Amino acid sequence: MASVAVLSRLGHKKTKRSKMILVTGATGFVGTALIARLLADGLPVRAAIRRESALEKFKVETAMVGDLSAETDWQEAVANVDAVIHTAARVHVMSDGASDPLMEYRRTNLHGTLRLARQAAEAGVRRFVFVSSIKANGEATSIGSAFSADGPTAPVDPYGVSKLEAEQALRELATKTGMEVVIVRPPLVYGPGVKANFRTMMSIVARRIPLPLGGIAGNRRSMVSLDNLVDLLTSCVHHPAAGNQTFLVSDGEDLSTAQLLKRLGQAMGKPARLLPVPASWLERGASMLGQAHVAQRLCGSLQVDISKTRDLLGWTPPISVDEGLKRTAEGYWREASV
């Protein structure tokens, strides 16, 4: 059974407050930054957490809900909540050891999300902001032909399929209940504390290890800094035009793989050492090793069109790619010094 533990903010007396914003995935990469931003904006926040965690620094209300599934009880967590920002998910992994990956992704990303949304609607929640993924659109684009918010969707892997299915279920629920649903599909998210492949790339650049990626200069890939994503999610909570819409998000500047590495190296103070190996050689070698999907991410393009986000919400990415990389590098060096 979920229980809500109230943690009073230091130096503040208890007063009657407006309805809460519930953030799921509160201890995650996006959730942690999102809570910090909402608090900085003076908004009341409740953090949904799976188990005891180090949220004391935020001094927010917490709701212990356990794992995200079709059986999770959200009733106390969504009580007196105006909006939910749902960042919790079974995230995409390169090598999934599950015997049925799609079933596992559906268990969390589809059925778990729908359980939360239904109980939120029953509790009178006004708006449900769902952090989906650009993988709902697909895996790749051609140069100059970007994914769009309302364009075709063709997910390739189980993660992308589960996210798109969740979107579809949420739209149907919105129609039946009147709760507004906002869907945000980010591409690769980077920022202080980033993990996985981006963190590995930073470690390689920091150690000045040569990379055979200098020839990958003709592709273009969209990314979004953590600060830009959090800014948009915050906007989607209250903006009157956001209800029942789907938005794509990026930094507004697409980079080739070589450009990204060069600018990351500049941000880190460690110029990237890039060898000019032709992309075709890398793609051929990767295919021979059964790693064609890796070559696709390095050599291929994935661009998103954020014109709808700009036009409908009047939103512009508040920080540039270079500023986002600078903040990411600073976070990396802080962690490295501990």
Side-chain angles (χ1 to χ4, degrees), residues 3-282:
S3 62
V4 178
V6 179
L7 303 176
S8 300
R9 296 181 67 180
L10 293 177
H12 288 253
K13 295 181 179 179
K14 291 183 180 179
T15 58
K16 185 176 181 180
R17 293 175 293 180
S18 59
K19 284 188 174 182
M20 289 281 173
I21 298 173
L22 177 69
V23 176
T24 72
T27 59
F29 177 53
V30 175
T32 300
L34 178 59
I35 288 175
R37 168 61 187 272
L38 292 171
L39 290 178
D41 288 349
L43 297 171
V45 181
R46 181 179 295 153
I49 58 177
R50 296 170 58 192
R51 54 186 63 91
E52 293 296 334
S53 57
L55 275 178
E56 291 82 2
K57 63 180 179 179
F58 293 123
K59 306 303 176 188
V60 299
E61 292 188 12
T62 61
M64 188 77 70
V65 296
D67 292 333
L68 181 63
S69 73
E71 289 76 42
T72 307
D73 184 0
W74 294 92
Q75 291 185 67
E76 291 188 39
V78 296
N80 199 40
V81 164
D82 177 60
V84 174
I85 308 179
H86 184 41
T87 76
R90 187 173 195 267
V91 298
H92 175 257
V93 294
M94 293 294 291
S95 299
D96 197 323
S99 59
D100 188 344
L102 180 56
M103 181 181 71
E104 292 302 319
Y105 280 114
R106 281 174 170 160
R107 188 192 311 278
T108 300
N109 298 344
L110 172 58
H111 303 303
T113 295
L114 194 55
R115 168 76 167 184
L116 166 60
R118 283 173 176 157
Q119 292 194 322
E122 290 169 0
V125 170
R126 175 185 59 87
R127 182 169 286 184
F128 190 99
V129 181
F130 177 55
V131 180
S132 184
S133 168
I134 198 61
K135 284 178 171 286
N137 285 85
E139 291 289 334
T141 61
S142 56
I143 296 292
S145 180
F147 287 134
S148 62
D150 299 316
T153 52
V156 174
D157 65 10
Y159 173 74
V161 170
S162 70
K163 283 292 193 177
L164 180 60
E165 289 177 342
E167 291 183 15
Q168 294 166 340
L170 288 172
R171 291 191 191 99
E172 183 178 348
L173 183 69
T175 300
K176 291 179 178 178
T177 65
M179 180 178 69
E180 295 178 341
V181 168
V182 185
I183 294 165
V184 177
R185 296 180 189 149
L188 184 151
V189 184
Y190 67 97
V194 67
K195 305 298 182 185
N197 292 339
F198 203 96
R199 171 69 183 222
T200 300
M201 181 173 65
M202 295 182 73
S203 296
I204 292 172
V205 171
R207 289 182 286 171
R208 304 296 315 282
I209 297 173
L211 287 164
L213 304 177
I216 309 177
N219 67 332
R220 291 293 181 273
R221 299 194 72 87
S222 298
M223 306 183 303
V224 63
S225 75
L226 182 59
D227 288 324
N228 284 341
L229 175 58
V230 163
D231 187 79
L232 178 61
L233 293 176
T234 304
S235 297
C236 286
V237 171
H238 297 298
H239 198 295
N244 298 318
Q245 296 289 339
T246 299
F247 298 106
L248 304 190
V249 59
S250 78
D251 290 331
E253 180 185 5
D254 302 338
L255 304 179
S256 70
T257 300
Q259 286 174 325
L260 170 60
L261 287 163
K262 288 176 182 177
R263 287 163 74 167
L264 177 60
Q266 291 170 356
M268 298 182 72
K270 298 282 186 177
R273 300 178 65 188
L274 302 180
L275 306 178
V277 178
S280 59
W281 292 14
L282 294 173

